[in-house]
Amino acid sequence: MSVYEILEKWGVRDYKILTKQDIDDITLGASILATGGGGDPEIGLLWAYNVINKGKEIVLIKPESVPNDAMIAMCGCLGAPVVLTEKTPNGNELNTAFQKLSGYVGKDFAGVIPPEAGGVNTTVPMAVAGELGLPVIDGDGMGRAFPELQMTSFHIGGVSASPVATINEKGFAAIVDSEDAYMAENIVRQTAMAYGGISWIAGYPMNGDQVRSTCIPNTVSLTLELGRRVREARDVHNDPIEVVERITGGWSAFKGKIVDINRDFGAESTKGFSMGQIVMEGLGDHKGNTAVIDFQNEWLKLTVNGKLICLPPDLITILDSETAEPIRTDIVKYGYRGTVVVVPAHERMKTEKALEVCGPRAFGYDLDFVPLKKPLVIK
């Protein structure tokens, strides 16, 4: 059955065929929302390009279009972003993972939803959907990027992460099935370590009602608009940072230069994460001030002059001050200059249950979540 036969069966008339330019813009927008993580976005971009070059179409539909009896799943990669740049996929991993997951649950999947609105895990699901002839659902499980399997609005809303199909670039595969999402994360993470640091996964099988009630809706459209508007601002030499602030509802919290980086290199091989901390020295209006940002794949905690500014699940993104190109945790270097933009998380990521799953204490901080407050006054 083709994607259009699926849409015809569902009675869907409202859909969008994504072009290469759309994929470009989605990649940029998703990389901004990735909060420093999400892996090398070029991998997902080129993967989706290849699908389009083969004459296949990537079709985007709203969550409301998915019928209750349709089976949907997410797919993407899990592991340390630094490793992803060294162990690039061959392009067949997630097609195989989807097929193995379908065989295990005994049902055919009728759609693909990105696990996160961030980096490679936004565009790669589109490539898989195009390859398999399935629609992409306009939503995700985070509204940003997070490092662990259970840190999704799907899990928060009661959808089981398992079963999860996991595979590497050589075709080695496993099915992880656990009612405990934290145990599933642990097993999949250890499997990724056995694969060399990166695992390609398909999981969170769910029906249409579960998709609608748990996903962060319309985030693919958001990344598309965000990337397009930033690109257009660059073309006419307008301020792209202002564009990011306006579209995301965020604001600039700090502007400076990176003067120190402390990486936990052992975490990449033993924990499957890129972990560490950076220090920024203020520039312009922020001259004389110091910002410190912790990261675990993504930017997590921001303090300025020792004052707490932002904690997860709210978003921290560091953007090149001239182009709004995101600065990722896996490539950040001494001397990089950027603007730190903070963005409030979606309300589904700030419920009591959500804060247990992806709030400060989920990352080892003995701190209560304090929502972002504007305006920020740096003293």
Side-chain angles (χ1 to χ4, degrees):
M1 184 177 292
S2 73
V3 63
Y4 293 110
E5 289 174 322
I6 292 173
L7 299 186
E8 181 68 24
K9 178 182 177 181
W10 293 353
V12 177
R13 299 290 182 268
D14 182 15
Y15 60 85
K16 177 176 176 56
I17 301 171
L18 298 176
T19 66
K20 284 187 175 181
Q21 183 62 69
D22 292 333
I23 297 298
D24 273 346
D25 293 338
I26 289 169
T27 299
L28 175 56
S31 298
I32 292 171
L33 294 181
T35 61
D40 185 352
E42 292 294 314
I43 292 173
L45 175 75
L46 295 175
W47 202 332
Y49 270 8
N50 185 56
V51 170
I52 294 173
N53 287 340
K54 289 192 290 186
K56 299 186 177 183
E57 292 182 330
I58 301 173
V59 179
L60 182 69
I61 65 171
K62 296 295 184 183
E64 295 77 19
S65 299
V66 183
N68 290 342
D69 61 351
M71 185 64 70
I72 307 298
M74 71 83 185
C75 63
C77 70
L78 180 147
V82 171
V83 178
L84 179 59
T85 61
E86 300 170 354
K87 288 175 65 67
T88 54
N90 62 38
N92 295 316
E93 292 89 345
L94 286 173
N95 300 342
T96 304
F98 240 74
Q99 292 163 2
K100 289 187 176 296
L101 182 63
S102 176
Y104 186 80
V105 301
K107 295 182 179 180
D108 292 329
F109 290 103
V112 182
I113 189 166
E116 57 190 13
V120 69
N121 278 346
T122 302
T123 47
V124 162
M126 297 178 193
V128 173
E131 189 71 52
L132 298 179
L134 305 176
V136 179
I137 314 305
D138 190 358
D140 80 296
M142 303 176 191
R144 52 162 295 158
F146 269 130
E148 298 184 11
L149 181 65
Q150 79 283 357
M151 292 178 172
T152 68
S153 60
F154 309 140
H155 167 67
I156 292 162
V159 177
S160 175
S162 297
V164 183
T166 171
I167 193 167
N168 73 352
E169 76 283 358
K170 296 181 180 178
F172 298 118
I175 297 287
V176 177
D177 196 348
S178 170
E179 294 182 3
D180 186 325
Y182 292 87
M183 178 58 70
E185 150 68 24
N186 184 43
I187 297 171
V188 173
R189 185 75 50 180
Q190 294 303 315
T191 304
M193 293 303 93
Y195 289 160
I198 283 291
S199 176
W200 296 91
I201 63 172
Y204 278 106
M206 64 188 107
N207 61 32
D209 181 62
Q210 290 173 315
V211 168
R212 289 186 296 277
S213 64
T214 66
C215 81
I216 310 300
N218 306 320
T219 47
V220 177
S221 293
L222 174 62
T223 61
L224 175 57
E225 181 186 11
L226 180 57
R228 178 170 59 85
R229 296 290 188 181
V230 167
R231 171 174 55 82
E232 291 172 346
R234 291 173 177 175
D235 289 344
V236 297
H237 306 292
N238 286 340
D239 185 356
I241 300 294
E242 290 184 0
V243 171
V244 174
E245 293 172 337
R246 183 172 67 253
I247 293 176
T248 64
W251 54 89
S252 297
F254 194 81
K255 184 175 182 178
K257 179 177 71 173
I258 295 169
V259 296
D260 194 20
I261 304 174
N262 295 299
R263 289 190 182 275
D264 180 356
F265 290 103
E268 293 166 11
S269 58
T270 61
K271 300 178 182 179
F273 301 113
S274 296
M275 301 181 70
Q277 183 183 83
I278 66 167
V279 179
M280 297 183 73
E281 181 182 88
L283 297 173
D285 293 342
H286 296 274
K287 188 174 182 179
N289 298 288
T290 302
V292 177
I293 308 178
D294 299 347
F295 62 89
Q296 179 180 324
N297 285 12
E298 289 76 40
W299 307 118
L300 288 180
K301 176 188 173 188
L302 167 66
T303 61
V304 178
N305 298 339
K307 179 183 178 181
L308 182 63
I309 302 297
C310 189
L311 284 168
D314 285 338
L315 287 68
I316 302 165
T317 185
I318 307 178
L319 308 175
D320 181 280
S321 299
E322 302 299 323
T323 66
E325 192 70 27
I327 298 174
R328 305 197 315 266
T329 62
D330 59 327
I331 62 169
V332 64
K333 295 181 181 179
Y334 177 89
Y336 275 15
R337 296 168 182 250
T339 298
V340 182
V341 177
V342 293
V343 179
H346 190 276
E347 292 305 310
R348 283 185 174 174
M349 301 302 288
K350 293 190 287 189
T351 65
E352 183 177 350
K353 172 65 174 177
L355 293 178
E356 291 177 6
V357 174
C358 55
R361 287 185 170 81
F363 293 95
Y365 298 116
D366 188 19
L367 297 167
D368 293 328
F369 172 68
V370 179
L372 284 169
K373 295 180 181 179
K374 186 181 181 181
L376 299 170
V377 179
I378 306 301
K379 295 182 179 179

